[in-house]
Structures are given as C-alpha cells and as structure tokens.
Amino acid sequence: MTALSAYNFQSTEFTPSGFGVTVPGPVADEPIEAAEVERLLNKGKSSLRLPEPLENAFIADAGPQRLRTMVISGVLVAFVFNWLLVSDWLLIPDQFDQALRLRLFLFTPAVIVGVFLLPRWSSPATREWFVLIPGVGAAAINAWLIVSSNDPFASTYLVSLATIAMYTNSVVRMRFVPAAVLDALIMSIFIAAAVHLPAEQARVLIPGGLLLACTITFTLYGCYCQERDDRLNWLLHLRERLLLKDLEDANQELHDASRSDILTEVANRRHFDEHLAEVWERVKRDGGEVALMMIDVDHFKAYNDRYGHPVGDACLKAVATALKRRLREPGDLIARYGGEEFIAVLAGTSLQTARGAAERIRRGIEGLNLLHATSSTHAVVTVSIGVATLTPADEGATTTRLISAADEALYQAKQGGRNRVVALGWDE
C-alpha cells in the first residue's frame, strides 16, 4: 500500500486588494493512502463527507477558490440587495423610509465589513457557516418590512425570499449542509411572516410558499450536485498527484540504487567518479586541495575463506558504517571502490588533516574487535590506508594522478606491514 505521508495541502488563499490578508490553509498531518482514494473512486462514493484526513485535505485545497467566490458574491450582494428598494417603493411605499435605513445603512455596511473580515477567518469550514448570517439577515429584513406594511400588495412581496435562496445556492454556491440549514431558516421566516399577514391573503401566500419551496428544492439539489462533483474531481486530481508522487519516489529509488552500493549502503564506483569530478572542478575554481583515501581491509580473502561470505558481508557493512561515522563533513564521500576496497574524497583538505582523519579511521576499525583468526599480522580485522592530496589548480594536476597517488600510498601501507596509514612519503 502506498502512502503520501504528511501530504502538505498548505495553500495561499485569494486576497482581493483592500479586503484581507494572506492566510494559510490547514495542513493534513496524517498520511493519505492512495489505496483509500482508489477505493472511494471505484465505489462511486456520492457522500458529501470523506474519511479523515481526506476531508480536511479537501477543505484546505478548496479553500482559496471558495474564499474567492464568497468575497466576489459578498461584494456583489452588498449592491444588488439595494435594488430591492425599487420594489419597496412600488409594493410597500409606507415602509420605504424604513427599508432605506435597513438596506443602505445596516445591511450594506455589515456585508462590507463581513467581506473584509472573511479572509481573516482561519478555518474554511467556519467561513461556509458564516454565509448564513447575511442570508438570514436579508430574509429577516424583507419579512419585517412586509409584515410592518399596511399596503394591500405587501403579501405578494413575500415571494422575494425566493431570490435570497436562489442567490446563496446558485451564486455563492454554498456547501450543501449550510445551504440546507439556511434554506430551512428562510422557509421558517416565510411561514412566520405569513402567519402575521391577513388570512384573506392566503390565495397569494400559498402559491408564494410553493414557489419558494420549489426554488429551494431545485437550487439545493444544484448545491448537492456541485459539491459532489467538486469532491469527485478533487479525488481524481488527488489520485493523479499520488500516482505522480509514487512514480517520482520510484524513480528516485532507482536513481539512488544506481549510485549506491547495495551491500554497504555507501556510494558506488559510478557515484564516486561523478562526485570526484564535481569536487575537483569546484576546488579548482575556489582554490584549495582535494584529498583522497584508499582503504583496504587487510587479508579479507582469508577472512572470507575462514568465516564464509555472509560473515564477510557483515564485516564489510561494519567497516562501511565506521567510515561513515568518522567522515561526515560537507563534501566528504565514502564509496565502495571494489571488493574489500573503499575510497573517500575530502574536499578542501590538506595532507596533514587527511592523514589525521585516516589514522582515526584505522584505529576505529581496529577498535571494532572483529575476530580475524587467519590474519597473518593481527588477530582482529584491520585496514590499510593510502592518502594523497593534489591542488587542482596546479599545472598537470588531474583526478587520475590523484587516484594513482592514493593507490601508490596504499600499496606502500600494505608493503609496510598493513594496519597503517601512508600519506605520500610519510610512512608510519
């Protein structure tokens, strides 16, 4: 089963000039399983609630676009809602002054402030519910003005609540659950207002209520379909992202495998050649020396013959681990050069410093106390190390000469009795 661990859905949200600041979306801290996404898609899941952490990830990913829609529709409604003043003047003229105050000096400023504050709400889920406030406020203002009017046409005006439901469901495109709650509140406001209107207006109110109910049903279904399709499309894109991430990881593993020695988990010969060339060019440009260590496990063939290849492999792993532990400077590289031989590149290192590092390595390997009963020189596993340095900027200096010099130093260390370090002319 593949997973995209700690998949980061951090996003920078839309912030229209003058309305807010950039707010980061939530981050999914739990791993997202590609198999879970595939299962949901194969199942054809139509639920508007995804399993964790998919639900949090979906909300965070959709947050910027949802915020953009809310801000734009909020700015729009702050002006469009005032167009009802024309209807107020025609249908409830006795309440026109009150309508002017409620719409222009209460609702409009409140919506503008809300639009300004909306991007500062850290939770996208909270913002979805925040939209209920202006929706209920607009419906309540209309109902209050109608109930307070004595005009005979006032009851026909109650159907205007349908436009609020239509706007929030179709333009704002609210999520289904908050939209359903808002529509229920709008219908409740309609019923409460109808009860307070004269009974003889029933012939107008009943068709108006049916029209409102139809508007709510149709637009609410549209909200459901919109959110369902949003979630389905998000799952499809997420699956694509997960598959691409898995492919990238697989390619990276192949790349790493092509540059690493499988047994010892240090660089292989190919990686060493590339790294040495890069280090050589950098030091040649910046100045300094390049040091090379050639490290050979003493009497390793005899060790393998005595203890067997599995134990021999364990010995090489232990030696490689000791090398990695003692050479950890930036630019240092340990590689398996072949068989029981390792090689190390030390960038910008003098001969004296490299020799000191090699001596620490030699003592460290000896200190592992790996029994080597067939060694003709020591009772434990030891290494011989040849050290050489060259200055790349010097005339005639090449990586080939550096490798040859380190190889010659290693030969001298072996000839000198093994378990020792030789650094080009220094025989210890």
Side-chain angles (χ1 to χ4, degrees), residues 273-287:
D273 290 338
E274 294 174 355
H275 182 78
L276 178 59
E278 292 173 1
V279 168
W280 189 267
E281 291 302 318
R282 185 174 70 250
V283 175
K284 185 177 182 179
R285 182 182 64 248
D286 299 338

Side-chain angles (χ1 to χ4, degrees), residues 400-413:
T400 302
R401 284 189 60 186
L402 178 60
I403 294 173
S404 296
D407 190 45
E408 174 61 26
L410 175 61
Y411 176 78
Q412 292 182 24

